[in-house]
mmCIF file of all heavy atoms in Angstrom:
data_model
loop_
_atom_site.group_PDB
_atom_site.id
_atom_site.type_symbol
_atom_site.label_atom_id
_atom_site.label_comp_id
_atom_site.label_asym_id
_atom_site.label_seq_id
_atom_site.Cartn_x
_atom_site.Cartn_y
_atom_site.Cartn_z
ATOM 1 N N SER A 315 14.656 -11.388 20.905
ATOM 2 C CA SER A 315 13.486 -10.729 21.492
ATOM 3 C C SER A 315 12.215 -11.522 21.200
ATOM 4 O O SER A 315 12.134 -12.280 20.225
ATOM 5 C CB SER A 315 13.343 -9.304 20.941
ATOM 6 O OG SER A 315 12.976 -9.332 19.564
ATOM 7 N N GLN A 316 11.231 -11.335 22.042
ATOM 8 C CA GLN A 316 9.939 -11.998 21.834
ATOM 9 C C GLN A 316 9.307 -11.543 20.522
ATOM 10 O O GLN A 316 8.751 -12.355 19.786
ATOM 11 C CB GLN A 316 8.983 -11.699 23.001
ATOM 12 C CG GLN A 316 7.659 -12.437 22.899
ATOM 13 C CD GLN A 316 7.842 -13.938 22.993
ATOM 14 O OE1 GLN A 316 8.499 -14.442 23.898
ATOM 15 N NE2 GLN A 316 7.257 -14.678 22.062
ATOM 16 N N LYS A 317 9.435 -10.263 20.199
ATOM 17 C CA LYS A 317 8.827 -9.789 18.956
ATOM 18 C C LYS A 317 9.452 -10.472 17.743
ATOM 19 O O LYS A 317 8.733 -10.845 16.816
ATOM 20 C CB LYS A 317 8.866 -8.269 18.841
ATOM 21 C CG LYS A 317 10.217 -7.620 18.709
ATOM 22 C CD LYS A 317 10.052 -6.118 18.580
ATOM 23 C CE LYS A 317 10.964 -5.235 19.314
ATOM 24 N NZ LYS A 317 11.460 -5.524 20.595
ATOM 25 N N TRP A 318 10.773 -10.692 17.751
ATOM 26 C CA TRP A 318 11.395 -11.350 16.598
ATOM 27 C C TRP A 318 11.015 -12.830 16.533
ATOM 28 O O TRP A 318 10.759 -13.368 15.457
ATOM 29 C CB TRP A 318 12.909 -11.155 16.600
ATOM 30 C CG TRP A 318 13.496 -11.667 15.322
ATOM 31 C CD1 TRP A 318 14.302 -12.754 15.158
ATOM 32 C CD2 TRP A 318 13.266 -11.141 14.010
ATOM 33 N NE1 TRP A 318 14.595 -12.936 13.827
ATOM 34 C CE2 TRP A 318 13.965 -11.949 13.099
ATOM 35 C CE3 TRP A 318 12.525 -10.061 13.513
ATOM 36 C CZ2 TRP A 318 13.958 -11.720 11.724
ATOM 37 C CZ3 TRP A 318 12.526 -9.823 12.156
ATOM 38 C CH2 TRP A 318 13.229 -10.649 11.270
ATOM 39 N N ARG A 319 10.945 -13.491 17.687
ATOM 40 C CA ARG A 319 10.508 -14.892 17.686
ATOM 41 C C ARG A 319 9.083 -15.004 17.144
ATOM 42 O O ARG A 319 8.768 -15.908 16.364
ATOM 43 C CB ARG A 319 10.614 -15.486 19.092
ATOM 44 C CG ARG A 319 12.065 -15.682 19.537
ATOM 45 C CD ARG A 319 12.190 -16.546 20.788
ATOM 46 N NE ARG A 319 11.358 -16.146 21.905
ATOM 47 C CZ ARG A 319 11.743 -15.342 22.888
ATOM 48 N NH1 ARG A 319 12.976 -14.831 22.890
ATOM 49 N NH2 ARG A 319 10.939 -15.041 23.876
ATOM 50 N N ASN A 320 8.235 -14.056 17.524
ATOM 51 C CA ASN A 320 6.870 -14.058 17.010
ATOM 52 C C ASN A 320 6.837 -13.820 15.501
ATOM 53 O O ASN A 320 6.088 -14.472 14.776
ATOM 54 C CB ASN A 320 6.024 -12.990 17.702
ATOM 55 C CG ASN A 320 5.739 -13.311 19.151
ATOM 56 O OD1 ASN A 320 5.931 -14.441 19.602
ATOM 57 N ND2 ASN A 320 5.288 -12.326 19.890
ATOM 58 N N ILE A 321 7.650 -12.891 15.030
ATOM 59 C CA ILE A 321 7.706 -12.576 13.599
ATOM 60 C C ILE A 321 8.220 -13.769 12.804
ATOM 61 O O ILE A 321 7.758 -14.027 11.693
ATOM 62 C CB ILE A 321 8.568 -11.315 13.365
ATOM 63 C CG1 ILE A 321 7.805 -10.078 13.845
ATOM 64 C CG2 ILE A 321 8.984 -11.185 11.907
ATOM 65 C CD1 ILE A 321 8.647 -8.811 13.955
ATOM 66 N N GLN A 322 9.171 -14.517 13.374
ATOM 67 C CA GLN A 322 9.676 -15.701 12.680
ATOM 68 C C GLN A 322 8.571 -16.728 12.458
ATOM 69 O O GLN A 322 8.528 -17.398 11.436
ATOM 70 C CB GLN A 322 10.820 -16.338 13.482
ATOM 71 C CG GLN A 322 12.069 -15.498 13.541
ATOM 72 C CD GLN A 322 12.650 -15.299 12.155
ATOM 73 O OE1 GLN A 322 13.258 -16.201 11.610
ATOM 74 N NE2 GLN A 322 12.457 -14.127 11.588
ATOM 75 N N ARG A 323 7.676 -16.816 13.412
ATOM 76 C CA ARG A 323 6.576 -17.769 13.320
ATOM 77 C C ARG A 323 5.459 -17.242 12.412
ATOM 78 O O ARG A 323 4.859 -17.987 11.651
ATOM 79 C CB ARG A 323 6.028 -18.037 14.732
ATOM 80 C CG ARG A 323 5.126 -19.212 14.878
ATOM 81 C CD ARG A 323 4.717 -19.509 16.331
ATOM 82 N NE ARG A 323 4.425 -18.328 17.135
ATOM 83 C CZ ARG A 323 5.283 -17.733 17.971
ATOM 84 N NH1 ARG A 323 6.498 -18.218 18.137
ATOM 85 N NH2 ARG A 323 4.938 -16.670 18.655
ATOM 86 N N LYS A 324 5.173 -15.954 12.506
ATOM 87 C CA LYS A 324 4.100 -15.334 11.728
ATOM 88 C C LYS A 324 4.597 -13.955 11.300
ATOM 89 O O LYS A 324 4.573 -13.013 12.097
ATOM 90 C CB LYS A 324 2.838 -15.208 12.574
ATOM 91 C CG LYS A 324 1.664 -14.631 11.829
ATOM 92 C CD LYS A 324 0.419 -14.587 12.700
ATOM 93 C CE LYS A 324 -0.732 -14.029 11.905
ATOM 94 N NZ LYS A 324 -1.936 -13.900 12.726
ATOM 95 N N PRO A 325 5.044 -13.804 10.056
ATOM 96 C CA PRO A 325 5.698 -12.554 9.619
ATOM 97 C C PRO A 325 4.735 -11.412 9.295
ATOM 98 O O PRO A 325 4.776 -10.809 8.223
ATOM 99 C CB PRO A 325 6.487 -12.995 8.388
ATOM 100 C CG PRO A 325 5.728 -14.144 7.844
ATOM 101 C CD PRO A 325 5.114 -14.838 9.023
ATOM 102 N N GLN A 326 3.879 -11.132 10.259
ATOM 103 C CA GLN A 326 2.987 -9.987 10.159
ATOM 104 C C GLN A 326 3.059 -9.223 11.470
ATOM 105 O O GLN A 326 3.312 -9.801 12.523
ATOM 106 C CB GLN A 326 1.549 -10.424 9.910
ATOM 107 C CG GLN A 326 1.350 -11.092 8.574
ATOM 108 C CD GLN A 326 -0.084 -11.537 8.382
ATOM 109 O OE1 GLN A 326 -0.746 -11.953 9.320
ATOM 110 N NE2 GLN A 326 -0.558 -11.442 7.154
ATOM 111 N N ALA A 327 2.823 -7.913 11.390
ATOM 112 C CA ALA A 327 2.855 -7.098 12.598
ATOM 113 C C ALA A 327 1.976 -5.874 12.384
ATOM 114 O O ALA A 327 1.583 -5.556 11.260
ATOM 115 C CB ALA A 327 4.281 -6.673 12.924
ATOM 116 N N THR A 328 1.704 -5.209 13.478
ATOM 117 C CA THR A 328 0.974 -3.945 13.468
ATOM 118 C C THR A 328 1.858 -2.919 14.150
ATOM 119 O O THR A 328 2.474 -3.204 15.172
ATOM 120 C CB THR A 328 -0.356 -4.088 14.230
ATOM 121 O OG1 THR A 328 -1.107 -5.145 13.641
ATOM 122 C CG2 THR A 328 -1.150 -2.800 14.166
ATOM 123 N N LEU A 329 1.921 -1.740 13.568
ATOM 124 C CA LEU A 329 2.721 -0.661 14.139
ATOM 125 C C LEU A 329 1.787 0.505 14.438
ATOM 126 O O LEU A 329 1.068 0.968 13.551
ATOM 127 C CB LEU A 329 3.807 -0.240 13.136
ATOM 128 C CG LEU A 329 4.975 0.563 13.676
ATOM 129 C CD1 LEU A 329 5.779 -0.257 14.667
ATOM 130 C CD2 LEU A 329 5.864 1.023 12.534
ATOM 131 N N CYS A 330 1.786 0.958 15.683
ATOM 132 C CA CYS A 330 0.960 2.094 16.095
ATOM 133 C C CYS A 330 1.877 3.271 16.404
ATOM 134 O O CYS A 330 2.777 3.163 17.242
ATOM 135 C CB CYS A 330 0.128 1.737 17.325
ATOM 136 S SG CYS A 330 -0.889 3.110 17.919
ATOM 137 N N ILE A 331 1.654 4.373 15.695
ATOM 138 C CA ILE A 331 2.409 5.596 15.916
ATOM 139 C C ILE A 331 1.393 6.650 16.318
ATOM 140 O O ILE A 331 0.427 6.896 15.581
ATOM 141 C CB ILE A 331 3.160 6.045 14.636
ATOM 142 C CG1 ILE A 331 4.048 4.910 14.099
ATOM 143 C CG2 ILE A 331 3.983 7.285 14.913
ATOM 144 C CD1 ILE A 331 3.398 4.090 13.035
ATOM 145 N N ASP A 332 1.579 7.247 17.480
ATOM 146 C CA ASP A 332 0.583 8.217 17.928
ATOM 147 C C ASP A 332 1.221 9.492 18.433
ATOM 148 O O ASP A 332 2.397 9.530 18.785
ATOM 149 C CB ASP A 332 -0.328 7.603 18.991
ATOM 150 C CG ASP A 332 0.411 7.225 20.266
ATOM 151 O OD1 ASP A 332 1.585 6.829 20.180
ATOM 152 O OD2 ASP A 332 -0.190 7.318 21.341
ATOM 153 N N HIS A 333 0.415 10.524 18.426
ATOM 154 C CA HIS A 333 0.810 11.825 18.961
ATOM 155 C C HIS A 333 0.093 11.954 20.295
ATOM 156 O O HIS A 333 -1.136 11.982 20.341
ATOM 157 C CB HIS A 333 0.402 12.935 17.993
ATOM 158 C CG HIS A 333 0.812 14.289 18.435
ATOM 159 N ND1 HIS A 333 2.130 14.671 18.536
ATOM 160 C CD2 HIS A 333 0.087 15.366 18.811
ATOM 161 C CE1 HIS A 333 2.187 15.924 18.947
ATOM 162 N NE2 HIS A 333 0.968 16.351 19.130
ATOM 163 N N ARG A 334 0.834 12.001 21.387
ATOM 164 C CA ARG A 334 0.244 11.898 22.724
ATOM 165 C C ARG A 334 -0.113 13.227 23.365
ATOM 166 O O ARG A 334 -0.312 13.299 24.567
ATOM 167 C CB ARG A 334 1.176 11.106 23.621
ATOM 168 C CG ARG A 334 1.316 9.706 23.076
ATOM 169 C CD ARG A 334 2.087 8.800 23.924
ATOM 170 N NE ARG A 334 2.107 7.494 23.260
ATOM 171 C CZ ARG A 334 2.418 6.399 23.866
ATOM 172 N NH1 ARG A 334 2.741 6.410 25.129
ATOM 173 N NH2 ARG A 334 2.416 5.258 23.200
#
Side-chain angles (χ1 to χ4, degrees):
S315 69
Q316 184 64 50
K317 66 179 138 324
W318 188 248
R319 290 193 309 267
N320 290 345
I321 288 167
Q322 292 297 284
R323 194 174 40 263
K324 182 177 181 183
Q326 294 179 324
T328 303
L329 197 64
C330 179
I331 306 95
D332 64 326
H333 182 66
R334 297 186 179 197

